[in-house]
Amino acid sequence: MSRLAGPRCLEGMTEHSTSHKVVVIGGGYAGTLAANRLRVRADVDITLVNPRPTFVDRIRLHQFVAGTGDATLDYGTLLGEGIQLVVDSATHIDTVARSVRLASGRALDYDYVIYAVGSTGATPSSVPKAAEFAVPVAEFEPARRLRARLDELPPDAPVTVVGGGLTGVETAAELAEQGRTVTLVCGGTLVPSLSAPGRRSVAKWLSGHGVAMLEADVVTEVRADAVVLADGTGADAVRPSALTIWTAGFGAPALATENGLRTDALGRLLTDGATQALRARRRGADSADHRAVHVRGGHR
């Protein structure tokens, strides 16, 4: 792992009495693991910055939405001794002053920084009213809204889950087991990451539990009480939906883009083979003086 504003690596440093400050931005799976693994070094002071006081187990959010399980854990049970947790949001990475500015106005000095902000839920702007009426399930706050909405709906109210990937299938399955009336709109292929036998097995289970699977259909519009579908033949159909849950796709936090780090079109940090990210070159600047670390998170 490399220092932002310096080319040296932690693995290559010699052990000595000087303490090196490491700031980990993001307390998800990647950030928590990175912070804990750094504790093997006696010469490192570790600060973990996260906007929530609890760890969110994102792969359990579908259970939280359905009311069948929890998705948060106390950081006290996860972080090793000596790791300082700062409940705040990083707003700026100052590569000259070597500090991370926080939303509260506080600044954390660093020698090394680990960028582990993960991904966000997203509804596409290309689908009319999706951002207004569909709710993503990839983050805790929207998941909490979904749970509250479900509590208000009668059990037989139609619920539409958009997205045929693992998150969509798990969400649809969890709701179906609670007796909900669920439609799963796959947009092409049911769980494309699985083998053909695996997809057949998933389809059989969903069908047996009453989930209406629309594998080839695509959502072209979301309304307050319905979704508009295109079935691949050009024909549109309006299907009632008291609640629409969006699990197709994801977004990236704007922190990297706003700080001049090189990103792709979605805002994801671009890294080399050592997960090291280079800041976009500025006139007269030495590119070696603008380095960052990217610890990859996961998205289902």
Side-chain angles (χ1 to χ4, degrees):
M1 291 178 285
S2 304
R3 179 172 59 184
L4 190 61
R8 293 186 300 167
C9 292
L10 282 174
E11 292 182 354
M13 291 194 310
T14 303
E15 297 274 357
H16 50 75
S17 59
T18 301
S19 182
H20 301 279
K21 298 177 182 178
V22 176
V23 174
V24 181
I25 305 175
Y29 300 114
T32 301
L33 283 171
N36 280 331
R37 290 184 178 182
L38 280 174
R39 290 180 60 248
V40 300
R41 298 188 61 99
D43 61 343
V44 176
D45 289 334
I46 308 163
T47 300
L48 179 71
V49 179
N50 194 65
R52 305 177 190 89
T54 55
F55 174 87
V56 176
D57 194 359
R58 292 178 66 178
I59 63 173
R60 302 296 176 210
L61 283 173
H62 61 285
Q63 295 174 323
F64 173 75
V65 167
T68 60
D70 202 356
T72 59
L73 294 168
D74 188 340
Y75 274 114
T77 67
L78 297 177
L79 295 178
E81 184 178 354
I83 298 175
Q84 180 186 7
L85 173 66
V86 174
V87 181
D88 211 329
S89 297
T91 59
H92 182 68
I93 304 172
D94 190 331
T95 60
V96 176
R98 296 179 186 170
S99 70
V100 176
R101 195 176 307 149
L102 306 179
S104 63
R106 181 181 176 185
L108 300 174
D109 295 334
Y110 68 80
D111 294 301
Y112 300 82
V113 65
I114 296 176
Y115 185 95
V117 299
S119 60
T120 64
T123 49
S125 58
S126 59
V127 178
K129 300 295 184 178
E132 182 176 353
F133 295 122
V135 185
V137 73
E139 295 179 90
F140 182 69
E141 287 77 15
R144 188 163 51 189
R145 293 200 301 272
L146 284 173
R147 182 164 174 168
R149 289 277 302 277
L150 282 167
D151 288 343
E152 297 170 353
L153 292 178
D156 59 348
V159 176
T160 303
V161 178
V162 182
L166 290 173
T167 301
V169 167
E170 290 171 339
T171 303
E174 202 70 36
L175 294 176
E177 284 194 311
Q178 300 307 304
R180 293 285 179 179
T181 302
V182 182
T183 297
L184 178 63
V185 184
C186 300
T189 304
L190 176 68
V191 199
S193 60
L194 294 182
S195 64
R199 288 195 294 273
R200 287 195 295 269
S201 178
V202 170
K204 181 179 179 180
W205 190 97
L206 291 172
S207 178
H209 285 76
V211 177
M213 287 175 293
L214 307 179
E215 189 165 358
D217 290 50
V218 176
V219 174
T220 58
E221 182 184 347
V222 180
R223 299 175 182 174
D225 58 356
V227 292
V228 180
L229 305 175
D231 62 6
T233 65
D236 290 338
V238 179
R239 193 176 185 101
S241 180
L243 176 61
T244 301
I245 302 174
W246 201 275
T247 72
F250 67 96
L255 184 63
T257 304
E258 292 173 350
N259 282 273
L261 297 170
R262 296 199 328 224
T263 64
D264 65 7
L266 295 177
R268 295 175 297 186
L269 191 62
L270 295 176
T271 66
D272 59 19
T275 68
Q276 180 172 267
L278 295 179
R279 186 179 178 89
R281 292 197 66 169
R282 297 180 299 179
R283 183 176 299 177
D286 180 358
S287 62
D289 285 338
H290 304 283
R291 295 183 181 268
V293 170
H294 178 215
V295 178
R296 299 180 185 276
H299 184 82
R300 294 163 64 86

